Amino acid sequence: MNTRNCLLLFLSLACLALSASHGFAQEALGLPSVRLEFGQASSPKQVATTLEILFLLTVLSLGPSIVIMLTSFTRIVVVLSILRQAIGVQQTPPNQVLVGIALFLTFFLMAPVWGQINDRALQPYLREEIGPKEATDLAINPVRRFMFSQTRKKDLGLMLNLAKQPKPKSSKEVPTRVLIPAFIISELKTAFQIGFMFYIPFLVIDMIVASVLLAMGMLMLPPVIISLPFKLMLFVLVDGWNIVADTLIRSFGP
């Protein structure tokens, strides 16, 4: 039997085994079937349920944007990116690791806010004690308080002027559509300030190494190659990740 016949025989046996195992799994496990049907609603309650499902799917699709822009994620990931650039390692840690660190630090920082949303809005709504509109209003209040605590008055005033809104007497009169961009601008400014403070020690090392190489006449040797081990050693000796995490968490206040 030549090689071609052996290969055909092997593929045939593999297909038969896969078909048998698939049929056995369906018979033994009783895999459920899923059907999607479109029909005319027979009552207003069915229409309301359908609209609630569509609204939930919309919220889930916008979930990543909500997590990124309405939480502490923006500040953390920007600071980590600047820190990586300051050290001089372009792909270490990789982007997936930086995003993972920022995401779990965001979970840690936003846990009290999400706990309030769960206790005051989600659970009463699931128990049918409140309606969808009231649940939405109760859910947005903790997020608004968090954003107000991190938003600068100057940025908030800018957005109020651009939106041509009258001067509010209290935070309750500030529309959420005005608060969100003001919060994002404030987060970016704070992130760049923290990133600049982390950048200075590594910049000093680069300047010292460049001056030493210039004095030694080694003009053809890139200073980054020499300074990188010293920057990594400094970051490890001072327990840099501990300092970074502590600084980021404390920057959001008590």
Side-chain angles (χ1 to χ4, degrees):
M1 183 179 294
N2 55 22
T3 306
R4 182 179 179 182
N5 293 333
C6 291
L7 181 60
L8 292 175
L9 179 60
F10 175 76
L11 291 177
S12 301
L13 293 176
C15 291
L16 291 174
L18 182 61
S19 301
S21 62
H22 180 67
F24 174 77
Q26 286 186 334
E27 181 178 358
L29 299 178
L31 297 178
S33 61
V34 179
R35 292 183 299 173
L36 181 62
E37 297 181 356
F38 295 92
Q40 186 176 2
S42 59
S43 64
K45 185 176 181 180
Q46 292 182 354
V47 177
T49 303
T50 303
L51 293 177
E52 290 179 3
I53 295 174
L54 292 176
F55 176 76
L56 179 60
L57 293 176
T58 303
V59 171
L60 291 177
S61 64
L62 297 176
S65 299
I66 296 174
V67 171
I68 291 174
M69 306 311 298
L70 304 186
T71 63
S72 58
F73 182 87
T74 301
R75 182 188 305 185
I76 296 173
V77 76
V78 170
V79 171
L80 293 178
S81 299
I82 295 176
L83 176 65
R84 184 177 64 178
Q85 185 70 24
I87 296 176
V89 284
Q90 301 299 325
Q91 298 297 330
T92 305
N95 292 330
Q96 292 85 349
V97 175
L98 289 187
V99 172
I101 295 173
L103 191 61
F104 281 101
L105 286 178
T106 300
F107 290 158
F108 176 80
L109 286 166
M110 299 300 297
V113 177
W114 291 339
Q116 294 177 13
I117 295 174
N118 181 66
D119 296 337
R120 301 176 184 179
L122 180 59
Q123 294 302 323
Y125 175 72
L126 294 177
R127 293 194 297 266
E128 298 182 355
E129 297 176 357
I130 57 177
K133 185 179 184 304
E134 186 178 358
T136 303
D137 295 337
L138 292 174
I140 197 63
N141 287 334
V143 181
R144 282 173 56 90
R145 284 195 295 268
F146 171 78
M147 289 192 291
F148 270 116
S149 65
Q150 305 300 325
T151 303
R152 292 178 172 83
K153 294 182 179 179
K154 181 179 179 181
D155 298 328
L156 184 59
L158 172 64
M159 291 302 165
L160 287 172
N161 291 332
L162 294 177
K164 298 181 180 180
Q165 293 285 332
K167 185 177 181 180
K169 298 180 181 179
S170 63
S171 60
K172 295 182 180 179
E173 298 181 0
V174 178
T176 303
R177 66 181 180 88
V178 174
L179 176 60
I180 291 176
F183 167 75
I184 295 172
I185 294 176
S186 297
E187 285 294 284
L188 289 175
K189 182 177 181 179
T190 304
F192 274 85
Q193 289 176 342
I194 298 175
F196 174 75
M197 297 304 297
F198 283 140
Y199 210 111
I200 292 178
F202 302 107
L203 179 61
V204 171
I205 294 177
D206 286 333
M207 295 176 63
I208 294 175
V209 172
S211 300
V212 172
L213 293 177
L214 182 62
M216 296 175 62
M218 304 175 65
L219 302 178
M220 301 301 294
L221 184 62
V224 178
I225 298 178
I226 305 300
S227 62
L228 179 58
F230 292 99
K231 290 189 288 187
L232 291 175
M233 181 177 63
L234 173 66
F235 191 73
V236 172
L237 290 178
V238 300
D239 199 1
W241 290 114
N242 185 285
I243 296 176
V244 171
D246 181 72
T247 303
L248 287 172
I249 293 173
R250 292 183 184 275
S251 67
F252 288 93

